[in-house]
Amino acid sequence: MKRFLFLSIFSLLFLIGCKTLHDNKKVTKTPKETNVFNLISWHQKDYSLDKIPGVSLDKWHNENTEKPKDNIIVAVIDTQIDTNHEDLQGQLWENEKEIPNNKLDDDNNGYIDDVNGWNYLGTKTGNYIVWANFEYVRLIRKWKPFFEGKKQEEIQPNDLMNFKEYQRALNKLDSENKIYDNWLKYITYNVDFFPKSKDTLKHFFPKEDYTYQQLDSLYKKYKINDKSLKQRRLDRDEDLGTRIDFMMARFEFKETNYEELKDLKIQVDSVYHKNLSLDYNERVYIDEGMSGLEKGYGSNNLNMVIKGIRKFNTHSTEVSSVIASNRKNKIGINGFSNNIKIMPLTVVPSGDENDKDIALAIRYAVDNGAKVINMSFSKDFSVNKEWVFDAIQYAEKHHVLIVHCAGNDSENMDLNPKYPSDNDFINKKEISNNFINVGSINHKVDSTFVSNFSNYGKENVDIFAPGEQIYVAKPDNKYDFDSGTSLAGPMVSATAALIWLYYPTLTVQEVKQIILESGTSYTIDVLVPGGEGKKLPFNELSKSGKVLNVYNAMNMAKEMSKRKK
């Protein structure tokens, strides 16, 4: 086996699959230009002052002398959250109508002891769901009894759209099954072969302190095809050269930790046998027997860590830190305002979110006082989109803004539907005017300005915000850089919260208008994500054609608020 084969197979499978395994809502990228400027706060800078295309938050704070009288709630519908993180202390919403831990629903809202929010993935046994079906698996399970084995000409006209979605889901499942089947076989081979290679190399490096360069020299000496130099063979297909080659590939992929490799196998295996399986249904552990939008399931534990079950509290911790990490504690990072309080609502597993959980979480946020709802997740299918549409419209009636990340698929959202959405893609119309979709940009005002992972769309992406190389809080009082539209969306959510903190009489439609119209314009041509070198003017990739600007938004909100008096 030639070494380039190790590389090409692993690279292909990793690039296709990491979206699901590591976090299907964001893309991680380590910053390489730490000498250019202070990356920790680049997204808060101002282009006219600093030549850095941030959202001008620092500029606004430096000039603002007023203090808000009240707090405002931003609901973060996401994963579990590290409620103990040092930079989120004092920043979480508290349900003052609920008496903690008395096992009663004191405020009669349908949720027992919901002191800080609710975990819709809590199970009946007190655990929580990590692995969940992808939405196309759920869709197939729903429509299989009606459409299996049928051709399009056999379908009644009123069922045709559902049939087409069923066929699209079948194609998606078939494609993903093939990918993960191959990946599982490949990673299983790696896990099995790793200790053999390591044991062989002990003959040359008893202390196991070899470097890539030393392995490369050894490989050239004992190459695979030199039959006279084969040593320590365990079977007829595995020679010394193969084992050296294998370990060199591990160095190149930074997979020299055997425990991490075994964990990767567990993750791939779980996706293949759970996320993609029609025989696995996580809902039997959550709300089995409920057919509609009934409440009464889940848990009030937002940071559940159970021994032997994978922790799943990173994503919401990051998102929440962008919005409201403590600005006064002189540690970590600065959020947009200490008067913003986070209401954590857990619906995001490893897999796809369930429409029931999304709809109920939106309604919970509205009913319990949130003015902004941040949803940093997306999926390609929606089984019960009408439930979510109704919840979005319910939020609009109560003047609650919903901010959604565009997603990290490098796709045109006008051609590739993403959910949740305010767009009824079947009837091709918007169902509300309280929904903002956000794409991601980086700090380079050049052809690479739009993040190469970001989705875009002249009709279905509203605005862009910084989402690449963002310094965020991580669980266990840690901090690091991360990237994804998941981090761009929260900047819009926090801006909306700031607007309402100072100008509470504005309607949700007015706040949305302000955010889109006040953004910064950039007259440059940019590479289209996934466009294989194609370029378009930046303003053609979103509805507003702009980048979020807090300073401009606050000034516009001030003027609009004056005119209303």
Side-chain angles (χ1 to χ4, degrees):
M1 181 182 293
K2 295 181 180 179
R3 187 154 53 89
F4 76 85
L5 189 57
F6 272 115
L7 294 174
S8 60
I9 293 176
F10 192 87
S11 297
L12 174 63
L13 292 175
F14 183 82
L15 288 171
I16 292 172
C18 69
K19 174 185 171 185
T20 299
L21 294 177
H22 291 81
D23 193 326
N24 59 343
K25 317 305 174 216
K26 61 181 172 32
V27 178
T28 301
K29 184 173 182 180
T30 303
K32 297 179 180 179
E33 300 181 71
T34 53
N35 61 327
V36 176
F37 53 81
N38 183 3
L39 276 171
I40 287 178
S41 61
W42 83 262
H43 61 282
Q44 299 182 354
K45 303 299 182 184
D46 177 81
Y47 189 64
S48 62
L49 295 177
D50 311 302
K51 298 306 177 185
I52 300 170
V55 299
S56 304
L57 179 65
D58 289 349
K59 181 179 179 180
W60 178 78
H61 272 293
N62 289 337
E63 294 186 15
N64 177 57
T65 58
E66 299 179 42
K67 301 295 181 184
K69 298 178 182 179
D70 301 309
N71 293 327
I72 191 166
I73 302 167
V74 175
V76 175
I77 302 180
D78 213 287
T79 65
Q80 295 192 69
I81 183 174
D82 182 0
T83 54
N84 300 315
H85 197 287
E86 61 184 9
D87 219 8
L88 293 177
Q89 296 310 296
Q91 297 307 112
L92 297 183
W93 167 73
E94 294 182 3
N95 184 357
E96 296 177 354
K97 299 177 182 178
E98 195 75 21
I99 300 172
N101 304 317
N102 67 351
K103 298 183 180 180
L104 297 173
D105 182 12
D106 300 294
D107 56 2
N108 296 311
N109 69 350
Y111 300 89
I112 296 173
D113 288 337
D114 55 320
V115 177
N116 297 117
W118 196 252
N119 181 354
Y120 289 90
L121 299 181
T123 66
K124 301 170 186 176
T125 59
N127 293 339
Y128 58 94
I129 290 299
V130 172
W131 306 102
N133 284 141
F134 291 127
E135 193 75 347
Y136 47 87
V137 175
R138 298 183 188 126
L139 194 144
I140 292 170
R141 186 185 294 122
K142 176 179 180 178
W143 293 112
K144 187 176 180 180
F146 304 95
F147 297 142
E148 185 177 26
K150 291 187 178 180
K151 298 179 180 179
Q152 184 166 321
E153 52 267 27
E154 301 176 69
I155 306 301
Q156 296 297 319
N158 58 336
D159 286 331
L160 190 57
M161 291 305 302
N162 290 327
F163 178 76
K164 288 182 177 178
E165 278 292 274
Y166 174 74
Q167 292 297 323
R168 187 165 75 94
L170 284 176
N171 291 335
K172 180 71 172 178
L173 179 59
D174 181 64
S175 173
E176 294 297 305
N177 265 327
K178 289 176 182 176
I179 290 170
Y180 280 96
D181 180 53
N182 288 333
W183 197 5
L184 183 57
K185 290 174 181 175
Y186 181 74
I187 200 68
T188 299
Y189 169 78
N190 283 346
V191 169
D192 292 343
F193 200 52
F194 192 104
K196 298 177 184 178
S197 300
K198 199 171 183 181
D199 183 63
T200 298
L201 290 172
K202 283 184 180 180
H203 176 74
F204 300 95
F205 305 97
K207 296 182 180 180
E208 300 184 18
D209 55 353
Y210 41 83
T211 65
Y212 179 88
Q213 289 73 23
Q214 288 173 316
L215 290 178
D216 189 47
S217 297
L218 195 65
Y219 176 77
K220 291 173 182 176
K221 182 178 180 181
Y222 297 106
K223 57 185 179 181
I224 296 174
N225 293 328
D226 193 340
K227 297 182 180 180
S228 65
L229 294 175
K230 287 183 181 178
Q231 298 181 24
R232 296 171 66 91
R233 174 189 285 184
L234 295 183
D235 61 50
R236 67 177 58 180
D237 296 319
E238 297 173 357
D239 57 34
L240 177 59
T242 302
R243 297 180 186 203
I244 298 170
D245 180 64
F246 175 87
M247 196 58 71
M248 288 172 68
R250 304 284 65 74
F251 269 91
E252 290 180 307
F253 290 119
K254 298 180 181 180
E255 292 284 355
T256 55
N257 187 313
Y258 185 51
E259 294 304 315
E260 290 180 357
L261 200 62
K262 288 195 294 183
D263 182 65
L264 181 59
K265 178 188 174 184
I266 291 171
Q267 293 182 50
V268 176
D269 184 84
S270 295
V271 172
Y272 186 65
H273 289 104
K274 292 181 179 179
N275 299 44
L276 291 167
S277 175
L278 289 168
D279 296 324
Y280 173 78
N281 182 358
E282 78 281 353
R283 303 307 291 190
V284 301
Y285 306 107
I286 302 175
D287 62 345
E288 187 177 29
M290 297 182 180
S291 57
L293 287 173
E294 305 97 329
K295 301 177 185 178
Y297 66 93
S299 164
N300 70 336
N301 196 329
L302 302 166
N303 188 27
M304 202 181 310
V305 179
I306 300 175
K307 187 176 181 180
I309 300 180
R310 185 183 176 206
K311 289 176 65 176
F312 212 64
N313 61 356
T314 298
H315 196 261
S316 185
T317 304
E318 295 187 17
V319 168
S320 299
S321 72
V322 171
I323 299 170
S325 52
N326 196 306
R327 295 183 62 87
K328 297 180 180 179
N329 58 8
K330 297 182 180 180
I331 58 176
I333 55 179
N334 288 333
F336 278 55
S337 170
N338 277 19
N339 291 82
I340 300 174
K341 305 302 176 182
I342 299 296
M343 177 192 288
L345 298 169
T346 302
V347 307
V348 178
S350 179
D352 279 337
E353 304 74 24
N354 191 286
D355 286 334
K356 177 179 179 179
D357 299 341
I358 298 170
L360 286 178
I362 292 173
R363 289 177 177 273
Y364 179 101
V366 174
D367 293 340
N368 289 278
K371 283 295 292 181
V372 184
I373 297 173
N374 188 92
M375 300 196 299
S376 287
F377 57 86
S378 66
K379 54 186 180 178
D380 296 330
F381 294 80
S382 182
V383 174
N384 293 296
K385 60 177 75 70
E386 66 280 358
W387 291 350
V388 181
F389 285 162
D390 287 345
I392 293 171
Q393 291 169 337
Y394 180 74
E396 183 178 28
K397 290 177 183 177
H398 291 80
H399 288 284
V400 175
L401 183 72
I402 297 177
V403 180
H404 181 249
C405 70
N408 306 321
D409 308 295
S410 306
E411 291 180 349
N412 185 343
M413 289 184 67
D414 298 342
L415 304 176
N416 300 278
K418 303 293 176 186
Y419 299 95
S421 177
D422 63 339
N423 191 326
D424 181 350
F425 291 103
I426 293 177
N427 297 309
K428 299 188 183 303
K429 67 176 183 178
E430 288 192 350
I431 57 98
S432 71
N433 192 27
N434 66 325
F435 195 97
I436 298 178
N437 250 325
V438 188
S440 168
I441 54 104
N442 61 51
H443 67 271
K444 300 176 184 178
V445 186
D446 59 20
S447 63
T448 66
F449 190 44
V450 176
S451 300
N452 60 9
F453 54 76
S454 180
N455 289 340
Y456 61 94
K458 187 63 175 173
E459 296 300 322
N460 288 294
V461 172
D462 294 291
I463 196 168
F464 283 86
E468 198 167 339
Q469 300 179 5
I470 308 300
Y471 198 65
V472 293
K474 297 269 190 175
D476 304 319
N477 294 335
K478 296 178 182 177
Y479 305 88
D480 203 352
F481 290 90
D482 216 339
S483 297
T485 58
S486 285
L487 303 178
M491 298 192 194
V492 174
S493 295
T495 301
L498 267 184
I499 292 172
W500 266 316
L501 270 173
Y502 288 85
Y503 310 106
T505 62
L506 295 173
T507 67
V508 67
Q509 293 85 5
E510 288 169 336
V511 171
K512 176 178 178 178
Q513 176 189 351
I514 288 167
I515 288 173
L516 299 191
E517 291 185 3
S518 66
T520 304
S521 298
Y522 291 88
T523 54
I524 56 174
D525 290 343
V526 296
L527 290 167
V528 177
E532 298 180 349
K534 178 183 177 182
K535 288 185 180 182
L536 283 175
F538 173 68
N539 62 14
E540 289 297 313
L541 298 187
S542 69
K543 184 174 290 187
S544 70
K546 298 178 180 180
V547 173
L548 175 70
N549 188 302
V550 176
Y551 183 85
N552 292 350
M554 294 302 288
N555 285 336
M556 186 178 291
K558 184 176 182 179
E559 292 303 314
M560 188 176 290
S561 184
K562 283 181 180 179
R563 292 197 297 268
K564 294 186 68 173
K565 290 182 180 180

